[in-house]
Amino acid sequence: MIMECLQRKKEPVLGFDVDLFSFDDALQYVHSHLKENKGMQIVTINPEMITLGKKDNDFARILNGADLIIPDGVGVKIALKIKGVNQENIPGIEFSKKLISLCELDGYSVGFLGAKEEVVQKAAQNLRAEFSNLNITYIRNGYFSSEEESIILQEIKAISPRVLFVALGAPKQEFLISKLKKEMPETIFIGVGGSFDVWSGMVKRAPLVWQKMGFEWLYRTIKEPARFKRIFPALPLFLVRVIMESLHEKLG
Ligand code: UDP
């Protein structure tokens, strides 16, 4: 497939656009931006983010204004299926890893912002071990005051990594990216949630069978029971709303 031919095809879920690229095409799409020196904001969308976007107009605008919105997790995949669209799930953490590998191969610099100090440092160390030619130009933990934030934004602007991975969790990471994007139109930004925790080795992903069955969220909830409050009743409620929306569309 010739990269230049890739066109976005979006499908809304409860009013929030989701790109219908395959994993490989989504990566090619980002690669074409890298090669053409273009910036972009990549969002890895999940039901929690859509539910939040329904209540927060600023967040909703950021989500729908992103340049690539990949469906992260089984919730959005099921929602699309309800709407009659077959879409592969694109785990943000795997997509980000492939993007890092691409940056290493083509020599693009990367920056990491987010997570606790020891986590982001260890994640960077592990990534350097895995991708020996990776050019990491910025590392900063994600715990800072609003006064420190403006210094951090200036630092990032000055260093200007080609791709910035932001791990502050949603919606914090998307709000911060939206501020940076205005001043750094040629940078590629991606919000990566808890990925640094996993890359640092301090948090384990679900075993592959759980991932394949679409139960990674359940595994994480069992491991971190505090997540339960975040997922329930948001996830079932989200699916009920999608079913209602789909019925409404079908009945005209
Ligand atoms: N985090 C941060 N600063 C904050 C709040 C959170 O750097 O003020 C980090 C946190 O340490 C973790 C990540 O953001 O590494 C959020 O992870 P979570 O698993 O909650 O995100 P999800 O993948 O669910 O979006």
Side-chain angles (χ1 to χ4, degrees):
M1 148 109 39
I2 299 167
M3 281 191 293
E4 283 66 32
C5 289
L6 286 173
Q7 291 289 339
R8 293 181 79 185
K9 192 167 155 242
K10 296 181 276 184
E11 177 71 29
V13 172
L14 298 180
F16 290 86
D17 286 336
V18 180
D19 278 290
L20 302 182
F21 283 128
S22 66
F23 189 117
D24 291 344
D25 284 353
L27 196 66
Q28 291 251 36
Y29 189 67
V30 180
H31 199 183
S32 66
H33 280 68
L34 276 168
K35 288 183 168 176
E36 291 165 21
N37 270 324
K38 288 188 190 156
M40 68 192 307
Q41 174 172 14
I42 308 165
V43 162
T44 64
I45 205 161
N46 61 33
E48 282 175 81
M49 290 161 83
I50 292 177
T51 306
L52 189 62
K54 282 263 168 221
K55 296 183 224 147
D56 182 333
N57 287 339
D58 291 334
F59 188 46
R61 256 191 302 277
I62 292 175
L63 292 180
N64 277 333
D67 308 282
L68 177 64
I69 305 149
I70 58 178
D72 184 358
V74 73
V76 178
K77 183 185 155 112
I78 295 172
L80 288 166
K81 182 91 189 156
I82 291 168
K83 301 191 79 184
V85 178
N86 278 320
Q87 167 64 35
E88 92 183 75
N89 174 23
I90 305 183
I93 188 164
E94 283 168 31
F95 190 78
S96 301
K97 198 74 172 284
K98 290 273 183 206
L99 183 54
I100 289 173
S101 152
L102 212 85
C103 288
E104 187 217 19
L105 268 177
D106 288 2
Y108 297 111
S109 61
V110 296
F112 299 107
L113 171 65
K116 297 199 180 106
E117 180 62 15
E118 65 272 26
V119 170
V120 67
Q121 291 295 346
K122 185 76 178 129
Q125 186 189 331
N126 289 344
L127 289 167
R128 275 198 186 104
E130 191 173 349
F131 305 100
S132 53
N133 290 319
L134 186 64
N135 181 16
I136 305 178
T137 56
Y138 187 76
I139 302 174
R140 175 67 167 82
N141 71 65
Y143 292 87
F144 43 80
S145 63
S146 45
E147 293 81 50
E148 284 171 306
E149 185 187 289
S150 51
I151 300 169
I152 290 170
L153 298 188
Q154 287 312 315
E155 262 173 24
I156 294 171
K157 217 175 128 188
I159 293 168
S160 199
R162 185 69 187 88
V163 183
L164 185 70
F165 295 84
V166 185
L168 304 175
K172 232 178 183 176
Q173 60 199 21
E174 280 72 29
F175 279 114
L176 191 112
I177 289 173
S178 116
K179 281 188 203 165
L180 278 168
K181 188 181 164 182
K182 290 189 196 105
E183 303 204 32
M184 300 172 69
E186 284 169 13
T187 303
I188 294 184
F189 298 100
I190 177 165
V192 295
S195 299
F196 296 177
D197 300 78
V198 175
W199 294 339
S200 72
M202 291 176 200
V203 169
K204 295 262 170 290
R205 280 191 78 190
L208 213 56
V209 276
W210 288 65
Q211 288 180 34
K212 289 224 165 93
M213 283 163 60
F215 284 143
E216 186 156 25
W217 59 274
L218 181 60
Y219 182 87
R220 288 180 82 186
T221 312
I222 294 167
K223 289 273 173 186
E224 288 173 65
R227 280 185 173 273
F228 195 81
K229 264 215 315 260
R230 274 171 54 178
I231 292 184
F232 292 97
L235 188 62
L237 216 63
F238 165 80
L239 290 176
V240 168
R241 284 170 107 170
V242 174
I243 293 167
M244 303 282 279
E245 183 191 60
S246 173
L247 281 175
H248 193 74
E249 277 169 9
K250 281 194 185 111
L251 299 174

